[in-house]
Amino acid sequence: MALRRTKIVATLGPSSSSPERISALIAAGLDVARLNFSHGNADDHRQRAELVRRLAAEQGRFVALMGDLQGPKIRIARFADKQVELQAGQRFTLSNSHPNDAGNDSVVGIDYPELVHDCRPGDELLLDDGRVVLQVDEVTDDAVHTTVTVGGPLSNNKGINRRGGGLSAPSLTDKDRADIKVAAELQLDYVAVSFPRYGQDIEEARALLREAGSDAWIIAKIERAEAVVDDEALDSLIRVSDGVMVARGDLGVEVGDAELVGIQKRIIQHARTLNKLVITATQMMESMISSPLPTRAEVSDVANAVLDYTDAVMLSAESASGRYPVEAVQAMARVCLGAEKHPTSTRSHHRLGETFSRCDDTIALSAMYAANHFPGVKAIISLTESGRTPLIMSRIRSGVPIYCFTPHTSTQHRAALFRGVYTIPFDAAALDPAEVSDAAIDELKKRRLIKADDWVILTKGDLTRDSGGTNGMKILKVA
C-alpha cells in the first residue's frame, strides 16, 4: 500500500477521549494529536496525552502531540436571554460599562476594554466569525457605537474581529503562560501560538518553554491580517518559528473570503521556501461534524492543500466534538492519498539556482536531487539527531519516502509532522561505524520497505550525537 506523505492533525475532545476512540484514530491514520487549550483543563490534556503515547506505542506508530494555546480572546459578554436577533440598519453598542450578563438587542458588554482605543468611525467589526457585521459610527470613552450592516442571531461570548486587523491584544495571556508550563510537563512535541503579531511574540513563547524545561518546536498560527499584509511581515514570523499554521477562521474574517485562498497558497509557499513546516487548518471537513461523508467541496479543499505541498491538514471540531471523528480521519487520509497521485506532487524546482549556507542543507538537498533523478532509488535513510536533515529533505517534492533514523524519542515523535518522513528508531552510535550502513538497510528490509537490487540513499555525519553534523551521502544497492 502506498505511503501517505501528507500528515493528519486531529483535535482531541469529548468525541475522541476514550482509549477505544483514540486507538481507532491512530489506526485510521492520525499523525499529530492536537490538545486545544481553549477547552478542558490540565488533567484532561494529561490523560489524553498519556493515552496517545501508550496506544501509539502499542500500534508501533509515532504520533506527535501538539498543544494549541488559546491566545487573546476578544469577545462580547453575555445576554440576559442568551441570544438576540440583530436587524440590518439598527443601532448596537459594545460597552465596557454595561453589566456582563445583561446584554440585550441594543447593547452588550465586552471583555476587551482596549476595543475603544483600537476602533475608529468607519471601521467594520465582525462578530461570530463574520456572521454579524457592525459599522463603527462613534467611539466614546467606554463604548463603541455601531450600526448593524449584516444582521442575524448573536449569542453569548462570540468573538470580535476588526476587518483588516489592528486589534492590539497581546499574543500571550496569563492563561497561555500557565498552559506553557503544562505543555512542558506533558513533554509535548509542538506548541502552537495563537494570534502572534511579531517575531517577539514567538521568541517570548520559546523562552518560556525553555525556562520550563521543554524543547518543543513552536508553530505560529497565522490568523491576523497584520501577519500577511506583505511578504516582509509574513517571513518575519515564519523565520522565528519552527512552522506555521494557516488558521483560516480568524484570518478569513480579517482579510475577507475573497483573499483567503491566495493568502493560503502564499503562506504554504513561503514556509516551504524558508524550510519550515506548514499546517493547513479550519473547516477542512466541517460537514463531517454531523455527516459520515465529506462534501465534494471539502474533498477539493483538502486535495488542493495537498497539491500545494502542505505538510499536514488538520481537523478541529470534526474530530473533537463531531459524530464521526474516525470517519473524518479516514476520509482525510483517503483524499490525501488520491491527491498525491497527481504528477505535480513529485516534481520540484525548490531552491534550484540558489546557494546553500550549511553543509547539512547541502547534503540533504543533494540527496533529494539524486533520489528524484535516479529511478532505482526506493528509499532515503537519514541518520539524524535533531531531525533537521529529513526536515530539509521534505521541503522537496518527491515520491521517494524519507526515513528518519534516530535514537531520540523527541525526534522520533517530532518527525511525525514532516511531510513524506517516517520514523525508524535506530542508534548508530551503538554500532561499529563499518556496520552502520548495512544495519540501516536491514531495518528497512525487515519491514519489507525495500528489496534486493533496489537503490537506497543514506546520509549521515562522521560524528554521531552531533546535531547539525550531517556531512556525507552514500548511494547503496540492496543486496
Side-chain angles (χ1 to χ4, degrees):
M1 187 179 75
L3 288 169
R4 172 172 45 81
R5 297 194 290 280
T6 311
K7 303 306 178 74
I8 294 174
V9 182
T11 307
L12 302 186
S15 295
S16 47
S17 291
S18 69
E20 296 78 16
R21 189 60 59 83
I22 290 175
S23 182
L25 289 170
I26 294 168
L30 174 68
D31 296 296
V32 182
R34 172 178 175 250
L35 307 176
N36 186 357
F37 285 124
S38 296
H39 303 285
N41 56 41
D43 287 338
D44 295 330
H45 302 313
R46 184 177 296 106
Q47 182 178 30
R48 289 166 184 159
E50 290 170 354
L51 281 172
V52 168
R53 289 281 192 244
R54 176 170 64 81
L55 296 170
E58 287 177 4
Q59 294 188 32
R61 292 280 315 284
F62 293 91
V63 175
L65 287 166
M66 180 172 68
D68 196 330
L69 302 178
Q70 178 175 289
K73 289 297 182 182
I74 302 170
R75 299 181 181 277
I76 61 171
R78 298 178 298 281
F79 296 98
D81 295 326
K82 296 185 179 179
Q83 180 173 303
V84 296
E85 185 79 24
L86 299 183
Q87 305 297 327
Q90 77 170 79
R91 298 270 291 173
F92 189 68
T93 297
L94 306 172
S95 170
N96 281 334
S97 56
H98 193 76
N100 278 346
D101 56 357
N104 54 52
D105 61 3
S106 63
V107 60
V108 70
I110 47 178
D111 67 359
Y112 176 58
E114 295 302 311
L115 187 66
V116 297
H117 303 298
D118 290 345
C119 290
R120 299 289 180 271
D123 286 351
E124 268 192 320
L125 297 179
L126 304 109
L127 278 57
D128 191 13
D129 287 340
R131 293 177 178 88
V132 172
V133 181
L134 310 176
Q135 182 93 22
V136 177
D137 299 321
E138 181 188 5
V139 181
T140 59
D141 288 344
D142 69 343
V144 178
H145 304 278
T146 75
T147 297
V148 179
T149 56
V150 177
L154 185 63
S155 55
N156 294 342
N157 303 122
K158 295 301 182 185
I160 305 171
N161 293 85
R162 178 178 174 269
R163 180 83 74 193
L167 298 183
S168 60
S171 179
L172 292 178
T173 65
D174 290 342
K175 173 176 166 50
D176 295 332
R177 291 182 175 86
D179 286 337
I180 282 173
K181 293 179 181 178
V182 174
E185 178 201 335
L186 301 184
Q187 297 182 305
L188 301 189
D189 306 293
Y190 293 94
V191 171
V193 177
S194 296
F195 300 101
R197 289 182 296 165
Y198 312 110
Q200 66 194 43
D201 296 331
I202 302 301
E203 290 166 350
E204 181 186 356
R206 193 183 301 279
L208 290 169
L209 272 168
R210 300 299 177 261
E211 185 181 312
S214 169
D215 64 353
W217 283 19
I218 294 184
I219 304 294
K221 295 170 69 176
I222 308 296
E223 48 195 336
R224 281 180 157 163
E226 300 97 309
V228 295
V229 68
D230 55 34
D231 287 351
E232 183 180 356
L234 176 59
D235 290 352
S236 68
L237 266 179
I238 294 173
R239 283 193 174 96
V240 298
S241 310
D242 300 297
V244 295
M245 181 189 295
V246 190
R248 303 181 305 181
D250 285 279
L251 181 61
V253 171
E254 293 205 358
V255 303
D257 292 341
E259 303 294 326
L260 185 59
V261 173
I263 288 172
Q264 171 177 315
K265 290 177 179 292
R266 181 158 64 98
I267 295 170
I268 293 172
Q269 177 193 349
H270 281 236
R272 297 191 63 80
T273 298
L274 294 171
N275 295 320
K276 300 301 173 75
L277 298 164
V278 57
I279 303 166
T280 306
T282 317
Q283 294 181 328
M284 299 213 80
M285 289 192 163
E286 183 88 347
S287 72
M288 292 195 72
I289 293 171
S290 56
S291 169
L293 292 172
T295 67
R296 295 293 179 266
E298 290 165 342
V299 167
S300 294
D301 181 33
V302 172
N304 272 300
V306 171
L307 293 173
D308 287 338
Y309 228 67
T310 188
D311 282 276
V313 286
M314 190 175 107
L315 296 167
S316 298
E318 301 96 328
S319 58
S321 56
R323 293 172 59 189
Y324 301 99
V326 176
E327 290 85 348
V329 171
Q330 291 169 335
M332 197 164 253
R334 191 167 62 242
V335 173
C336 290
L337 282 167
E340 288 166 2
K341 293 177 182 176
H342 195 277
T344 59
S345 69
T346 58
R347 296 175 187 159
S348 178
H349 301 286
H350 179 65
R351 296 182 74 168
L352 286 179
E354 292 186 24
T355 56
F356 310 135
S357 60
R358 292 175 52 138
C359 177
D360 52 347
D361 285 11
T362 306
I363 294 296
L365 294 166
S366 299
M368 297 309 298
Y369 191 88
N372 282 348
H373 290 82
F374 186 16
V377 174
K378 302 301 180 185
I380 300 164
I381 296 172
S382 173
L383 305 182
T384 182
E385 296 292 310
S386 67
R388 177 178 166 81
T389 299
L391 170 67
I392 301 300
M393 289 176 173
S394 68
R395 302 307 86 189
I396 300 290
R397 292 176 182 259
S398 177
V400 181
I402 302 162
Y403 294 98
C404 172
F405 276 55
T406 182
H408 304 298
T409 301
S410 59
T411 305
Q412 290 166 359
H413 289 111
R414 183 181 296 143
L417 184 52
F418 303 176
R419 179 168 177 138
V421 176
Y422 313 94
T423 293
I424 297 200
F426 187 84
D427 188 359
L431 300 170
D432 185 291
E435 301 173 349
V436 169
S437 296
D438 287 342
I441 288 173
D442 286 344
E443 285 291 333
L444 293 187
K445 287 174 68 177
K446 276 194 306 187
R447 292 167 167 80
R448 298 183 179 178
L449 297 169
I450 55 174
K451 61 184 187 305
D453 296 327
D454 287 344
W455 290 92
V456 171
I457 293 174
L458 183 144
T459 66
K460 62 185 287 292
D462 287 336
L463 298 175
T464 54
R465 304 283 191 243
D466 186 8
S467 181
T470 297
N471 63 357
M473 178 181 89
K474 294 180 178 181
I475 303 179
L476 304 167
K477 192 168 188 179
V478 180

